[in-house]
């Protein structure tokens, strides 16, 4: 017997290629240890599978429906190789346990858990329609404070509820916040409790002391060092999110993970108003309060942090917070379910910078080593194209940090420029190339110089504007109305009368 590697259909020994997709068939023995994909109509627990939503480093997510009541769900199936690893299976189970213990409407609902006949673990969760905050920021650019505050408030309520239940999330970031469009407006859903820690040693998750766990751009100093990680770590990560939402940039970045972690531990962040001058200076203090290196100096709760930020915005004469119904959520995919994209020593995966979509990055495989420490093992990994669920595979740690080839092509870096134009929907041109209509955003190559863009609109004079393409930015441009051309005077039309001499025409 032979099997298609793409659709897993079975054929007799006399068939060499799949009649459906043309793939070359392989002997059945080649699939003895491979995960079998669930097909449309397969039953998992009480639910019937409809389609595959995405595949990641830890497993596969399917859309399914209850055959009687019609409830739509997402089913996450852990890959066989991880189901057999106790530490990974424990994290998978803890994810379901953590979300269920909190029971808050702002946290994704996981309501069933089990194992397939082949031993793979799965859990069933609500199916979300909308877009992640990460995708929303990529599409819209930095948010106005009155837009960011209601989103931050929704996340803060969910995280504070988790803290009240004795659970620290430990991986807060825009990709783990989902904006769900409903008839009541836009609601926030907090995802990915796969690295959550139940305080008081009540968790079955075993993480060695001194091993950092989280996503480097959003990790607190104590989290980067792998010690004393608690609820105040979530306050710091929340502060990084707020900083990014309002400025369009991260407070700390670097070419290598180690660079970022060292900055988290040692460097003070620049004031948000320096990164985006249109922000009131009054907002600097509440955001930097969340980013204190000393955990005890941060706000006690995320709710208190948002209240402090909102009060500063009001004192600066800011506009009232927008209604949730006015937030434009652009769905990035048909659905979204929980996945894991984190850094836990050398045993799991790490999410690369949200602003760097291509190229090779190096991943630190152990805790941050400061100046007095020595010896760091490194992992090298390649970031694949982002699927619906963007999980990352980890390769074996090399004996030494690889040296990039001198002939390797330079990595492309991009910035997003948003153009607030008057009149709205003005055309934006880069030389002879039309980029689209304002406000964009427009994706341009990152550079240290200025780039000239041209704005055009009917009834208005076109205008050139120089844009700084060294970082994400918002540019405001007003086009002047085009002057109306005065009508050209025309001589009075006369008709020559037949038979009249020319000198008598005027008199006539």
């Amino acid at each position: 017997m032979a099997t298609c590697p793409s659709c897993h259909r079975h054929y007799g020994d006399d068939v060499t290629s799949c009649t459906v997709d043309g793939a070359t068939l392989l002997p059945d023995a080649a699939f003895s240890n491979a995960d079998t994909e669930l097909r449309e109509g397969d039953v998992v627990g009480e639910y019937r599978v409809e389609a595959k939503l995405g595949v990641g480093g830890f497993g596969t997510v399917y859309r399914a429906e209850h055959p009687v009541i019609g409830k739509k769900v997402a089913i996450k199936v852990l890959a066989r190789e991880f189901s057999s690893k106790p530490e990974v299976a424990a994290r998978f189970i803890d994810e379901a346990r953590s979300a269920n213990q909190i029971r808050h409407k702002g946290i994704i609902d996981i309501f069933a858990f089990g194992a397939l006949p082949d031993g793979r673990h799965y859990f069933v969760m609500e199916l979300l329609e909308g877009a992640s905050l990460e995708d929303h920021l990529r599409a819209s650019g930095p948010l106005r404070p009155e837009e960011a505050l209601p989103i931050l408030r929704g996340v803060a309520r969910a995280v504070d509820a988790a803290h009240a239940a004795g659970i620290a999330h430990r991986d807060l970031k825009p990709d783990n916040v989902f904006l769900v469009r409903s008839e009541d407006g836009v609601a926030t859903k907090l995802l990915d409790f796969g690295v959550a820690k139940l305080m008081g040693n009540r968790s079955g998750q075993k993480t060695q002391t001194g091993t950092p766990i989280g996503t480097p751009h959003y990790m607190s100093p104590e989290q980067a060092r792998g010690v004393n990680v608690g609820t105040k770590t979530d306050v710091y990560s929340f502060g990084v999110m707020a900083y990014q939402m309002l400025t369009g940039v991260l407070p700390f970045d670097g070419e290598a993970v180690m660079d970022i972690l060292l900055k988290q531990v040692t460097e003070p962040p620049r004031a948000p108003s320096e990164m985006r001058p249109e922000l009131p200076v009054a907002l600097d203090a509440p955001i930097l309060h969340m980013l204190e290196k000393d955990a005890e100096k941060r706000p006690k709760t995320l709710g208190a942090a948002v209240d402090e930020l909102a009060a500063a915005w009001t004192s600066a004469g800011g506009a009232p917070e927008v209604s949730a119904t006015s937030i434009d959520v652009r769905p990035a995919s048909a659905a979204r379910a929980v996945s894991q994209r984190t850094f836990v020593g050398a045993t799991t995966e790490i999410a690369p910078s949200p602003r760097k979509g291509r190229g090779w990055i190096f991943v630190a495989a152990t805790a941050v080593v400061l100046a007095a420490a020595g010896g760091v093992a490194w992992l090298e990994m390649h970031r694949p194209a982002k699927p619906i669920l963007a999980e990352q595979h980890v390769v074996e740690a090399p004996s030494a940090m690889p040296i990039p080839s001198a002939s390797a092509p330079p990595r492309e870096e991009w910035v997003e420029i948003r153009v607030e134009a008057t009149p709205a929907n003005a055309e934006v041109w880069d030389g002879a190339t039309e980029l689209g209509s304002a406000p964009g955003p427009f994706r341009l190559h990152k550079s240290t110089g200025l780039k000239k863009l041209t704005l055009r609109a009917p009834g208005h004079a076109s205008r050139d504007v120089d844009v700084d393409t060294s970082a994400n930015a918002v540019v405001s441009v007003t086009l002047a109305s085009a002057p109306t051309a005065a009508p050209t005077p025309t001589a009075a039309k006369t008709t020559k009368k037949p038979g009249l001499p020319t000198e008598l025409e005027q008199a006539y």
Side-chain angles (χ1 to χ4, degrees):
M1 298 289 290
T3 301
C4 173
S6 299
C7 66
H8 296 280
R9 286 178 170 82
H10 297 284
Y11 295 89
D13 292 332
D14 57 335
V15 182
T16 59
S17 61
C18 179
T19 58
V20 176
D21 50 38
T24 301
L25 303 181
L26 299 175
D28 284 351
F31 294 87
S32 58
N33 294 320
D35 289 345
T36 302
E37 287 193 357
L38 300 180
R39 299 181 181 179
E40 182 180 355
D42 286 349
V43 175
V44 177
E46 298 180 333
Y47 298 90
R48 192 179 304 279
V49 173
E50 292 185 335
K52 180 172 69 176
L53 294 179
V55 180
F58 275 101
T60 307
V61 178
Y62 300 89
R63 185 179 70 243
E65 181 183 48
H66 194 287
V68 178
I69 63 177
K71 181 176 183 177
K72 301 284 187 179
V73 300
I75 300 177
K76 182 177 182 179
V77 180
L78 189 63
R80 185 195 306 268
E81 62 174 309
F82 295 114
S83 289
S84 61
K85 295 181 178 180
E87 69 278 5
V88 180
R91 278 182 57 195
F92 189 78
I93 296 170
D94 277 350
E95 183 174 357
R97 179 187 293 118
S98 299
N100 261 286
Q101 288 190 10
I102 303 167
R103 295 188 178 278
H104 187 274
K105 65 179 182 180
I107 295 173
I108 191 167
D109 186 18
I110 300 175
F111 42 81
F113 181 88
L116 299 177
D118 61 9
R120 288 179 291 166
H121 296 292
Y122 72 85
F123 58 64
V124 184
M125 71 203 98
E126 63 180 312
L127 188 68
L128 302 180
E129 302 286 345
S132 71
L133 177 57
E134 174 70 28
D135 291 333
H136 182 62
L137 292 176
R138 188 178 293 114
S140 66
L143 305 181
R144 301 191 304 271
E146 63 269 27
E147 295 174 324
L149 280 168
I151 296 175
L152 290 170
R153 200 180 303 280
V155 176
R157 289 169 179 163
V159 178
D160 283 344
H163 292 173
I167 299 172
H169 189 281
R170 302 203 295 175
D171 198 21
L172 285 182
K173 55 187 177 183
D175 205 36
N176 283 344
V177 175
F178 205 78
L179 304 179
V180 184
R181 170 69 73 180
S182 68
E183 58 185 19
D184 298 324
V186 172
T188 58
K189 285 280 187 178
L190 186 58
L191 312 179
D192 283 7
F193 276 86
V195 298
K197 180 179 180 181
L198 281 71
M199 277 78 79
N201 296 321
R202 291 184 286 139
S203 174
Q205 181 180 330
K206 303 296 189 295
T207 302
Q208 294 181 348
T209 302
T211 302
I213 180 171
T215 304
H217 287 93
Y218 302 88
M219 287 170 66
S220 66
E222 66 272 17
Q223 194 175 13
R225 296 173 56 229
V227 295
N228 301 324
V229 177
T231 58
K232 291 299 184 68
T233 281
D234 287 343
V235 176
Y236 186 95
S237 301
F238 186 80
V240 176
M241 278 179 42
Y243 192 108
Q244 180 184 2
M245 291 168 68
L246 294 173
T247 66
V249 297
L250 291 159
F252 300 112
D253 202 356
E255 290 300 314
V257 170
M258 182 61 71
D259 295 337
I260 301 169
L261 296 181
L262 287 173
K263 289 178 181 179
Q264 299 283 24
V265 174
T266 62
E267 289 190 12
R270 293 178 61 183
S273 61
E274 292 182 31
M275 310 307 294
R276 190 180 177 197
E278 56 263 45
L279 287 177
V281 176
L283 299 186
D284 291 344
I287 294 177
L288 296 179
H289 188 194
M290 292 182 263
L291 297 178
E292 287 279 359
K293 301 297 185 187
D294 185 347
E296 295 306 314
K297 293 182 179 180
R298 298 170 202 152
K300 292 184 178 180
T301 66
L302 271 67
V306 174
D307 289 342
E308 187 179 347
L309 184 62
W313 175 241
T314 301
S315 69
E321 294 182 27
V322 301
S323 168
T325 58
S326 65
I327 299 176
D328 180 21
V329 178
R330 306 172 187 178
S333 62
R336 169 68 189 268
V338 178
S339 60
Q340 297 172 341
R341 295 169 298 280
T342 54
F343 173 48
V344 189
T347 61
T348 183
E349 74 283 23
I350 181 169
S353 165
R355 297 188 295 115
K356 296 178 179 178
R358 297 186 178 89
W360 292 82
I361 64 173
F362 299 110
V363 180
T366 58
V368 172
V369 181
L370 300 179
V376 176
W378 292 86
L379 276 178
E380 182 187 59
M381 78 172 190
H382 182 263
R383 182 184 183 186
K386 184 175 180 181
I388 298 177
L389 297 179
E391 299 175 324
Q392 305 295 327
H393 295 271
V394 172
V395 299
E396 294 296 325
S399 57
M401 184 173 70
I403 300 175
S405 168
S407 61
R411 177 174 57 199
E412 289 184 290
E413 292 188 287
W414 303 83
V415 296
E416 290 186 344
I417 305 298
R418 185 181 178 89
V419 180
E420 301 291 350
T422 303
N425 301 321
E427 297 175 354
V428 180
W429 291 73
D430 178 7
T433 303
E434 182 179 2
L435 301 181
S437 299
F442 307 104
R443 197 161 177 257
L444 302 174
H445 280 283
K446 184 176 182 180
S447 66
T448 56
L450 297 177
K451 187 173 190 62
K452 181 178 292 185
L453 299 179
T454 303
L455 274 72
R456 301 171 183 168
H460 294 76
S462 62
R463 178 177 172 182
D464 293 337
V465 57
D466 291 327
V467 177
D468 182 358
T469 55
S470 62
N472 295 345
V474 178
V475 181
S476 297
V477 182
T478 300
L479 302 183
S481 298
T484 303
T488 303
T490 56
K493 186 176 181 180
T494 58
T495 303
K496 179 177 176 67
K497 296 296 181 179
L500 286 176
T502 301
E503 61 270 22
L504 296 180
E505 282 181 354
Q506 188 65 37
Y508 180 84

